[in-house]
């Protein structure tokens, strides 16, 4: 894990989708000190709401 932190310390890891595996994977990386963002379509409202709740606030919209 230390080597991964060293290599990725200035990088942003994007998790695309917040369905079944997204929450566990993104929160695990965040808890281990990685800079994580989540990409989730608002078409899947339940997953969108869960991602916003876990992240604290939605980021700017990149596309529709």
């Amino acid at each position: 894990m230390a080597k991964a932190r060293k290599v990725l310390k200035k990088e942003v890891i994007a998790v695309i989708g917040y369905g079944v595996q997204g929450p566990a994977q993104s929160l695990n990386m965040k808890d281990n000190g990685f800079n994580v963002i989540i990409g989730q379509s608002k078409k899947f409202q339940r997953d969108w709401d869960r991602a916003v709740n876990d992240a604290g606030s939605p980021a700017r919209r990149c596309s529709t």
Side-chain angles (χ1 to χ4, degrees):
M1 188 63 74
K3 185 170 183 169
R5 276 192 210 102
K6 182 179 177 182
V7 171
L8 298 171
K9 71 180 178 180
K10 294 184 180 179
E11 302 296 331
V12 176
I13 300 168
V15 175
I16 307 303
Y18 209 66
V20 177
Q21 295 181 14
Q25 292 176 357
S26 59
L27 293 172
N28 183 26
M29 288 186 283
K30 181 181 171 192
D31 290 346
N32 280 288
F34 295 98
N35 188 10
V36 179
I37 60 170
I38 301 163
Q40 176 60 51
S41 170
K42 285 184 87 172
K43 291 179 185 177
F44 301 96
Q45 192 65 47
R46 184 173 145 240
D47 294 335
W48 171 270
D49 293 340
R50 198 167 41 153
V52 169
N53 184 56
D54 289 350
S57 66
R60 66 185 170 95
R61 181 178 297 209
C62 296
S63 64
T64 57

